[in-house]
Coordinates of all heavy atoms in Angstrom, one line a residue:
M1 N -8.5 -16.6 -0.4 CA -7.1 -16.2 -0.9 C -7.2 -14.7 -1.1 O -8.1 -14.2 -1.7 CB -6.8 -16.9 -2.1 CG -5.4 -16.5 -2.6 SD -4.8 -17.4 -4.1 CE -5.5 -16.5 -5.4
Y2 N -6.1 -14.1 -0.6 CA -6.0 -12.6 -0.7 C -4.9 -12.3 -1.8 O -3.9 -13.0 -1.9 CB -5.6 -12.0 0.6 CG -6.7 -12.0 1.6 CD1 -6.9 -13.1 2.4 CD2 -7.5 -10.9 1.8 CE1 -7.9 -13.1 3.3 CE2 -8.5 -10.9 2.7 CZ -8.7 -12.0 3.5 OH -9.7 -12.1 4.4
F3 N -5.1 -11.2 -2.5 CA -4.1 -10.8 -3.5 C -4.2 -9.3 -3.6 O -5.2 -8.7 -3.2 CB -4.2 -11.4 -4.8 CG -5.5 -11.1 -5.5 CD1 -5.5 -10.1 -6.5 CD2 -6.7 -11.8 -5.3 CE1 -6.7 -9.8 -7.2 CE2 -7.8 -11.5 -6.0 CZ -7.8 -10.5 -6.9
S4 N -3.1 -8.6 -4.1 CA -3.1 -7.2 -4.2 C -2.8 -6.8 -5.7 O -2.2 -7.6 -6.4 CB -2.1 -6.5 -3.3 OG -0.8 -6.9 -3.7
T5 N -3.3 -5.7 -6.1 CA -3.1 -5.2 -7.5 C -1.8 -4.3 -7.4 O -1.4 -3.9 -6.3 CB -4.3 -4.4 -8.0 OG1 -4.5 -3.3 -7.1 CG2 -5.5 -5.3 -8.1
P6 N -1.2 -4.0 -8.6 CA 0.0 -3.1 -8.5 C -0.3 -1.8 -7.8 O -1.4 -1.3 -8.0 CB 0.3 -2.9 -10.0 CG -0.3 -4.1 -10.7 CD -1.5 -4.5 -9.9
Y7 N 0.7 -1.4 -7.1 CA 0.5 -0.1 -6.3 C 1.2 1.0 -7.0 O 2.4 1.0 -7.3 CB 1.2 -0.3 -4.9 CG 1.3 0.9 -4.1 CD1 0.1 1.5 -3.7 CD2 2.5 1.5 -3.8 CE1 0.2 2.7 -2.9 CE2 2.6 2.7 -3.0 CZ 1.4 3.3 -2.6 OH 1.5 4.4 -1.8
F8 N 0.4 2.0 -7.3 CA 0.9 3.3 -7.9 C 0.3 4.4 -7.0 O -0.9 4.5 -6.9 CB 0.4 3.5 -9.3 CG 0.8 2.4 -10.3 CD1 -0.1 1.4 -10.7 CD2 2.1 2.3 -10.7 CE1 0.3 0.4 -11.5 CE2 2.6 1.3 -11.5 CZ 1.7 0.3 -11.9
F9 N 1.2 5.2 -6.4 CA 0.8 6.2 -5.5 C 0.1 7.3 -6.3 O 0.7 7.9 -7.1 CB 1.9 6.8 -4.7 CG 1.5 7.9 -3.8 CD1 0.6 7.6 -2.7 CD2 1.9 9.2 -3.9 CE1 0.2 8.7 -1.9 CE2 1.6 10.2 -3.1 CZ 0.7 9.9 -2.1
N10 N -1.2 7.5 -6.1 CA -2.0 8.5 -6.8 C -3.0 9.0 -5.9 O -4.1 8.4 -5.7 CB -2.6 7.9 -8.1 CG -3.5 8.8 -8.8 OD1 -3.5 10.0 -8.5 ND2 -4.2 8.4 -9.8
P11 N -2.7 10.1 -5.2 CA -3.6 10.6 -4.2 C -5.0 11.1 -4.7 O -5.9 11.4 -3.9 CB -2.9 11.8 -3.5 CG -1.9 12.2 -4.5 CD -1.5 11.0 -5.3
R12 N -5.2 11.2 -6.0 CA -6.4 11.7 -6.6 C -7.4 10.5 -6.9 O -8.3 10.7 -7.6 CB -6.1 12.5 -7.8 CG -5.4 13.7 -7.5 CD -5.5 14.7 -8.6 NE -4.9 16.0 -8.2 CZ -3.7 16.4 -8.6 NH1 -3.0 15.7 -9.4 NH2 -3.3 17.6 -8.2
G13 N -7.2 9.4 -6.4 CA -8.2 8.3 -6.6 C -7.5 7.0 -7.1 O -7.4 6.8 -8.2
N14 N -7.2 6.2 -6.1 CA -6.6 4.9 -6.5 C -7.8 3.9 -6.8 O -8.8 4.0 -6.2 CB -5.8 4.4 -5.3 CG -4.5 5.1 -5.1 OD1 -4.0 5.7 -6.0 ND2 -4.1 5.2 -3.8
T15 N -7.5 3.1 -7.7 CA -8.5 2.0 -8.0 C -7.9 0.7 -7.7 O -8.4 -0.3 -8.0 CB -8.9 2.1 -9.5 OG1 -7.8 1.9 -10.3 CG2 -9.7 3.3 -9.8
S16 N -6.7 0.7 -7.1 CA -6.0 -0.6 -6.7 C -6.1 -0.8 -5.2 O -6.3 0.1 -4.5 CB -4.6 -0.6 -7.3 OG -3.9 0.6 -6.8
G17 N -5.9 -2.0 -4.8 CA -5.9 -2.4 -3.4 C -5.8 -3.9 -3.2 O -5.2 -4.6 -4.0
V18 N -6.3 -4.3 -2.1 CA -6.2 -5.7 -1.7 C -7.6 -6.3 -1.9 O -8.6 -5.7 -1.6 CB -5.8 -5.9 -0.2 CG1 -5.8 -7.3 0.2 CG2 -4.4 -5.3 0.0
Y19 N -7.6 -7.5 -2.5 CA -8.8 -8.2 -2.9 C -8.9 -9.6 -2.3 O -7.8 -10.2 -2.0 CB -9.0 -8.3 -4.4 CG -9.2 -7.0 -5.1 CD1 -8.2 -6.1 -5.4 CD2 -10.5 -6.5 -5.3 CE1 -8.4 -4.9 -6.0 CE2 -10.7 -5.3 -5.9 CZ -9.7 -4.5 -6.2 OH -9.9 -3.3 -6.8
R20 N -10.0 -10.2 -2.2 CA -10.2 -11.5 -1.7 C -10.9 -12.3 -2.8 O -11.9 -11.9 -3.3 CB -11.0 -11.5 -0.4 CG -11.3 -12.9 0.2 CD -12.1 -12.9 1.5 NE -12.9 -11.7 1.7 CZ -12.8 -10.9 2.7 NH1 -12.0 -11.1 3.7 NH2 -13.7 -9.9 2.9
W21 N -10.4 -13.5 -3.1 CA -11.0 -14.4 -4.0 C -11.7 -15.5 -3.3 O -11.1 -16.2 -2.4 CB -10.0 -15.0 -5.0 CG -10.5 -16.0 -5.9 CD1 -11.5 -15.8 -6.9 CD2 -10.1 -17.4 -6.0 NE1 -11.7 -17.0 -7.6 CE2 -10.9 -18.0 -7.1 CE3 -9.2 -18.2 -5.4 CZ2 -10.8 -19.3 -7.4 CZ3 -9.1 -19.5 -5.7 CH2 -9.8 -20.0 -6.7
K22 N -13.0 -15.7 -3.6 CA -13.7 -16.8 -2.9 C -13.8 -18.0 -3.9 O -14.3 -17.9 -5.0 CB -15.1 -16.3 -2.6 CG -15.2 -15.3 -1.5 CD -16.6 -15.0 -1.2 CE -16.7 -13.9 -0.1 NZ -18.1 -13.6 0.3
F23 N -13.2 -19.1 -3.4 CA -13.1 -20.3 -4.2 C -14.5 -20.9 -4.5 O -14.8 -21.3 -5.6 CB -12.2 -21.3 -3.6 CG -12.1 -22.6 -4.3 CD1 -11.3 -22.7 -5.4 CD2 -12.8 -23.7 -3.9 CE1 -11.3 -23.9 -6.1 CE2 -12.7 -24.9 -4.5 CZ -12.0 -25.0 -5.7
S24 N -15.3 -20.8 -3.5 CA -16.7 -21.5 -3.6 C -17.5 -20.9 -4.6 O -18.3 -21.5 -5.3 CB -17.4 -21.5 -2.2 OG -17.6 -20.2 -1.8
T25 N -17.4 -19.5 -4.8 CA -18.3 -18.8 -5.8 C -17.5 -18.3 -7.0 O -18.1 -17.7 -7.9 CB -19.0 -17.6 -5.1 OG1 -18.0 -16.7 -4.6 CG2 -19.9 -18.1 -4.0
N26 N -16.1 -18.5 -7.0 CA -15.3 -18.0 -8.0 C -15.5 -16.5 -8.3 O -15.6 -16.0 -9.4 CB -15.4 -18.8 -9.3 CG -14.3 -18.6 -10.3 OD1 -13.2 -18.2 -9.9 ND2 -14.5 -18.7 -11.5
T27 N -15.6 -15.7 -7.2 CA -15.7 -14.3 -7.3 C -14.6 -13.5 -6.5 O -14.0 -14.1 -5.6 CB -17.1 -13.8 -6.8 OG1 -17.2 -14.2 -5.4 CG2 -18.2 -14.4 -7.6
T28 N -14.4 -12.3 -6.8 CA -13.5 -11.5 -6.1 C -14.2 -10.3 -5.5 O -15.2 -9.8 -6.0 CB -12.4 -10.9 -7.0 OG1 -12.9 -10.2 -8.0 CG2 -11.5 -12.0 -7.5
E29 N -13.8 -9.8 -4.3 CA -14.3 -8.7 -3.7 C -13.2 -7.8 -3.2 O -12.2 -8.3 -2.7 CB -15.3 -9.1 -2.6 CG -14.6 -9.8 -1.4 CD -15.6 -10.2 -0.3 OE1 -16.7 -9.6 -0.3 OE2 -15.2 -10.9 0.5
S30 N -13.5 -6.5 -3.2 CA -12.5 -5.6 -2.7 C -12.5 -5.6 -1.1 O -13.6 -5.5 -0.5 CB -12.8 -4.2 -3.2 OG -12.0 -3.2 -2.5
V31 N -11.3 -5.7 -0.5 CA -11.2 -5.7 0.9 C -10.9 -4.3 1.4 O -11.5 -3.8 2.3 CB -10.2 -6.8 1.4 CG1 -10.0 -6.7 2.9 CG2 -10.6 -8.1 1.0
I32 N -9.9 -3.7 0.7 CA -9.4 -2.4 1.1 C -8.8 -1.7 -0.2 O -8.1 -2.4 -0.9 CB -8.5 -2.4 2.3 CG1 -8.2 -1.0 2.8 CG2 -7.2 -3.1 2.0 CD1 -7.5 -0.9 4.1
M33 N -9.1 -0.5 -0.4 CA -8.4 0.3 -1.4 C -7.1 0.9 -0.8 O -7.1 1.2 0.4 CB -9.3 1.3 -2.0 CG -10.6 0.8 -2.6 SD -10.4 -0.6 -3.7 CE -10.0 0.2 -5.2
Y34 N -6.1 1.1 -1.6 CA -4.9 1.7 -1.1 C -5.2 3.1 -0.6 O -5.9 3.9 -1.3 CB -3.8 1.7 -2.2 CG -3.3 0.4 -2.5 CD1 -2.9 0.0 -3.8 CD2 -3.1 -0.6 -1.5 CE1 -2.4 -1.2 -4.1 CE2 -2.6 -1.8 -1.8 CZ -2.2 -2.1 -3.1 OH -1.7 -3.4 -3.4
P35 N -4.6 3.5 0.5 CA -4.9 4.8 1.1 C -4.1 5.9 0.4 O -3.3 5.7 -0.5 CB -4.4 4.7 2.5 CG -3.4 3.6 2.5 CD -3.8 2.6 1.4
D36 N -4.4 7.1 0.8 CA -3.8 8.3 0.1 C -2.4 8.7 0.8 O -2.2 9.9 1.0 CB -4.7 9.5 0.2 CG -5.9 9.3 -0.7 OD1 -5.9 8.4 -1.6 OD2 -7.0 9.9 -0.5
F37 N -1.6 7.7 1.1 CA -0.3 8.0 1.6 C 0.6 6.9 1.1 O 0.2 5.9 0.6 CB -0.2 8.1 3.1 CG -0.8 7.0 3.9 CD1 -0.2 5.8 4.1 CD2 -2.1 7.1 4.5 CE1 -0.7 4.7 4.8 CE2 -2.6 6.1 5.2 CZ -2.0 4.9 5.3
L38 N 1.9 7.2 1.1 CA 2.9 6.2 0.6 C 2.9 4.9 1.4 O 3.0 5.0 2.7 CB 4.3 6.8 0.6 CG 4.5 7.9 -0.5 CD1 5.9 8.5 -0.3 CD2 4.3 7.4 -1.9
L39 N 3.0 3.8 0.7 CA 3.0 2.5 1.4 C 4.4 1.9 1.2 O 5.1 2.3 0.2 CB 2.0 1.6 0.8 CG 0.5 2.0 1.1 CD1 -0.4 1.1 0.4 CD2 0.2 2.0 2.6
A40 N 4.8 1.0 2.0 CA 6.2 0.4 1.9 C 6.0 -1.1 1.8 O 5.0 -1.7 2.1 CB 7.0 0.7 3.1
G41 N 7.1 -1.7 1.4 CA 7.2 -3.2 1.2 C 8.4 -3.6 0.5 O 9.1 -2.7 -0.1
V42 N 8.8 -4.8 0.6 CA 10.0 -5.3 -0.1 C 9.8 -5.4 -1.6 O 10.5 -4.9 -2.4 CB 10.4 -6.7 0.5 CG1 11.7 -7.2 -0.2 CG2 10.7 -6.5 2.0
Y43 N 8.8 -6.1 -2.0 CA 8.4 -6.3 -3.4 C 7.1 -5.7 -3.7 O 6.1 -6.4 -4.0 CB 8.5 -7.8 -3.8 CG 9.8 -8.4 -3.6 CD1 10.0 -9.3 -2.5 CD2 10.9 -8.1 -4.4 CE1 11.2 -9.9 -2.3 CE2 12.1 -8.7 -4.2 CZ 12.3 -9.6 -3.2 OH 13.5 -10.2 -3.0
G44 N 6.9 -4.4 -3.6 CA 5.6 -3.8 -3.7 C 5.1 -3.4 -2.3 O 5.8 -3.1 -1.4
V45 N 3.8 -3.6 -2.2 CA 3.1 -3.3 -0.9 C 3.1 -4.5 0.0 O 2.8 -5.6 -0.5 CB 1.7 -2.8 -1.1 CG1 1.0 -2.6 0.2 CG2 1.7 -1.5 -1.9
S46 N 3.6 -4.4 1.2 CA 3.5 -5.5 2.2 C 2.2 -5.3 3.0 O 1.9 -4.2 3.5 CB 4.7 -5.5 3.1 OG 5.8 -5.8 2.5
Y47 N 1.5 -6.4 3.1 CA 0.3 -6.4 3.9 C 0.1 -7.7 4.6 O 0.7 -8.7 4.2 CB -1.0 -6.0 3.1 CG -1.4 -7.1 2.1 CD1 -2.2 -8.1 2.4 CD2 -0.8 -7.1 0.8 CE1 -2.6 -9.1 1.5 CE2 -1.2 -8.0 -0.1 CZ -2.0 -9.0 0.2 OH -2.4 -10.0 -0.7
G48 N -0.6 -7.7 5.7 CA -0.9 -8.9 6.4 C -2.3 -8.9 7.0 O -3.0 -7.9 6.9
L49 N -2.6 -10.0 7.7 CA -3.9 -10.1 8.3 C -3.8 -10.3 9.8 O -2.9 -11.0 10.3 CB -4.7 -11.3 7.7 CG -5.0 -11.3 6.2 CD1 -5.6 -12.6 5.8 CD2 -6.0 -10.1 6.0
T50 N -4.7 -9.6 10.5 CA -4.7 -9.8 12.0 C -5.5 -11.1 12.3 O -6.2 -11.6 11.4 CB -5.4 -8.6 12.7 OG1 -6.8 -8.5 12.2 CG2 -4.7 -7.3 12.4
P51 N -5.5 -11.6 13.5 CA -6.3 -12.8 13.8 C -7.8 -12.7 13.5 O -8.5 -13.6 13.2 CB -6.0 -13.0 15.3 CG -4.7 -12.4 15.5 CD -4.7 -11.2 14.6
D52 N -8.3 -11.4 13.6 CA -9.8 -11.2 13.3 C -10.0 -10.8 11.9 O -11.1 -10.4 11.5 CB -10.4 -10.3 14.3 CG -9.8 -8.9 14.2 OD1 -8.7 -8.7 13.6 OD2 -10.3 -7.9 14.8
G53 N -9.0 -10.9 11.0 CA -9.3 -10.7 9.6 C -9.1 -9.3 9.1 O -9.3 -9.0 7.9
E54 N -8.6 -8.4 9.9 CA -8.3 -7.0 9.5 C -7.0 -6.9 8.7 O -6.1 -7.7 8.9 CB -8.3 -6.1 10.7 CG -9.6 -5.9 11.4 CD -10.7 -5.3 10.7 OE1 -10.3 -4.3 9.9 OE2 -11.8 -5.7 10.8
I55 N -6.9 -6.0 7.8 CA -5.7 -5.8 7.0 C -4.7 -4.9 7.7 O -5.1 -3.8 8.2 CB -6.1 -5.2 5.6 CG1 -7.0 -6.1 4.8 CG2 -4.8 -4.9 4.8 CD1 -6.4 -7.3 4.3
L56 N -3.4 -5.3 7.7 CA -2.3 -4.4 8.2 C -1.5 -4.0 7.0 O -1.1 -4.9 6.2 CB -1.5 -5.2 9.2 CG -2.1 -5.6 10.5 CD1 -1.1 -6.5 11.3 CD2 -2.4 -4.4 11.3
M57 N -1.1 -2.7 6.9 CA -0.3 -2.3 5.8 C 0.9 -1.5 6.4 O 0.8 -0.9 7.5 CB -1.1 -1.4 4.8 CG -2.2 -2.1 4.1 SD -3.0 -1.1 2.9 CE -3.0 -2.2 1.6
L58 N 2.0 -1.4 5.7 CA 3.2 -0.7 6.1 C 3.2 0.7 5.5 O 3.1 0.8 4.2 CB 4.4 -1.4 5.7 CG 4.7 -2.7 6.4 CD1 5.9 -3.4 5.8 CD2 4.8 -2.6 7.9
R59 N 3.2 1.8 6.3 CA 3.3 3.1 5.8 C 4.7 3.5 5.7 O 5.5 3.3 6.6 CB 2.6 4.1 6.7 CG 2.5 5.5 6.2 CD 1.7 6.3 7.1 NE 1.6 7.7 6.6 CZ 0.9 8.7 7.1 NH1 0.2 8.4 8.2 NH2 0.9 9.9 6.6
D60 N 5.1 4.2 4.6 CA 6.5 4.6 4.3 C 6.7 6.0 5.0 O 6.2 7.0 4.5 CB 6.7 4.7 2.8 CG 8.2 5.1 2.5 OD1 9.0 5.2 3.4 OD2 8.5 5.2 1.3
L61 N 7.4 6.0 6.1 CA 7.7 7.2 6.8 C 9.3 7.5 6.8 O 9.8 8.1 7.7 CB 7.2 7.2 8.3 CG 5.7 7.1 8.4 CD1 5.4 7.0 9.9 CD2 5.1 8.4 7.9
S62 N 9.9 7.0 5.8 CA 11.4 7.1 5.7 C 11.8 8.6 5.5 O 10.9 9.5 5.2 CB 11.9 6.3 4.6 OG 11.4 6.8 3.3
T63 N 13.0 8.8 5.7 CA 13.6 10.2 5.6 C 14.5 10.3 4.3 O 15.3 11.2 4.3 CB 14.3 10.6 6.8 OG1 15.4 9.6 7.0 CG2 13.4 10.6 8.0
R64 N 14.3 9.5 3.3 CA 15.2 9.5 2.2 C 15.0 10.8 1.4 O 15.9 11.1 0.6 CB 15.0 8.3 1.3 CG 13.6 8.2 0.7 CD 13.5 7.0 -0.2 NE 12.1 6.9 -0.6 CZ 11.4 5.8 -0.4 NH1 11.9 4.8 0.2 NH2 10.1 5.8 -0.7
D65 N 14.0 11.5 1.5 CA 13.8 12.8 0.7 C 14.1 14.0 1.6 O 13.7 15.1 1.1 CB 12.4 12.8 0.2 CG 12.1 11.8 -0.9 OD1 13.1 11.4 -1.5 OD2 11.0 11.3 -1.0
L66 N 14.7 13.9 2.7 CA 15.0 15.0 3.5 C 16.5 15.4 3.3 O 17.4 14.5 3.3 CB 14.8 14.7 5.0 CG 13.4 14.5 5.5 CD1 13.4 14.2 6.9 CD2 12.5 15.7 5.1
Y67 N 16.8 16.6 3.1 CA 18.1 17.0 2.8 C 18.5 18.2 3.7 O 17.7 19.0 4.1 CB 18.2 17.5 1.3 CG 17.9 16.4 0.3 CD1 16.6 16.3 -0.2 CD2 18.8 15.4 0.0 CE1 16.2 15.4 -1.1 CE2 18.4 14.4 -0.9 CZ 17.1 14.4 -1.4 OH 16.8 13.4 -2.3
A68 N 19.8 18.4 3.9 CA 20.3 19.5 4.7 C 21.4 20.2 3.9 O 22.2 19.5 3.1 CB 20.8 19.0 6.0
L69 N 21.5 21.5 4.0 CA 22.5 22.2 3.3 C 23.1 23.2 4.2 O 22.4 24.0 4.8 CB 21.9 23.0 2.1 CG 22.8 23.9 1.3 CD1 23.9 23.1 0.6 CD2 22.0 24.7 0.2
D70 N 24.4 23.1 4.4 CA 25.1 24.1 5.2 C 25.9 25.0 4.3 O 26.7 24.5 3.5 CB 26.1 23.4 6.2 CG 25.4 22.6 7.2 OD1 24.3 23.0 7.6 OD2 25.9 21.5 7.7
L71 N 25.7 26.2 4.4 CA 26.4 27.2 3.5 C 27.2 28.2 4.3 O 26.6 28.8 5.2 CB 25.3 28.0 2.7 CG 25.8 29.0 1.7 CD1 26.7 28.4 0.6 CD2 24.7 29.8 1.1
E72 N 28.4 28.2 4.1 CA 29.3 29.1 4.8 C 29.8 30.2 3.8 O 30.6 29.8 2.9 CB 30.5 28.4 5.4 CG 30.0 27.5 6.5 CD 31.2 26.7 7.2 OE1 32.3 27.2 7.0 OE2 30.9 25.7 7.8
L73 N 29.4 31.4 4.0 CA 29.9 32.5 3.1 C 31.0 33.2 3.8 O 31.1 33.4 5.0 CB 28.7 33.4 2.8 CG 27.6 32.8 2.0 CD1 26.4 33.8 1.9 CD2 28.0 32.4 0.7
P74 N 32.0 33.8 3.0 CA 33.1 34.5 3.6 C 32.7 35.8 4.2 O 31.7 36.4 3.9 CB 34.1 34.7 2.5 CG 33.4 34.4 1.2 CD 32.2 33.7 1.6

């Protein structure tokens, strides 16, 4: 079973990420730590698994922080 910890963008050292819980040994292991760029998702970070078990994450490349200003002086 996979689960993720809360995501807080902190480029100076994240300690959160995606973990795997092993039922047979009742232990958890870190699969991937959150990268140093903004991630996206509907309710936090969205991630998935490829058929060979690799983690897929969504990177936030939106333009919501881009602004334009047109100034017309007489």
Side-chain angles (χ1 to χ4, degrees):
M1 179 174 86
Y2 291 83
F3 65 95
S4 62
T5 58
Y7 173 66
F8 302 104
F9 179 64
N10 179 7
R12 293 197 173 106
N14 291 328
T15 58
S16 53
V18 177
Y19 291 84
R20 179 177 26 235
W21 175 61
K22 292 185 179 181
F23 178 75
S24 61
T25 59
N26 195 26
T27 59
T28 59
E29 65 180 346
S30 172
V31 177
I32 187 170
M33 303 311 277
Y34 290 142
D36 292 340
F37 52 79
L38 289 174
L39 296 173
V42 177
Y43 300 106
V45 174
S46 290
Y47 66 92
L49 296 172
T50 64
D52 60 348
E54 296 293 323
I55 299 287
L56 293 173
M57 297 185 132
L58 296 175
R59 184 174 182 180
D60 185 0
L61 293 175
S62 63
T63 58
R64 65 177 169 239
D65 293 329
L66 296 178
Y67 302 95
L69 176 64
D70 292 329
L71 180 62
E72 293 181 19
L73 297 173

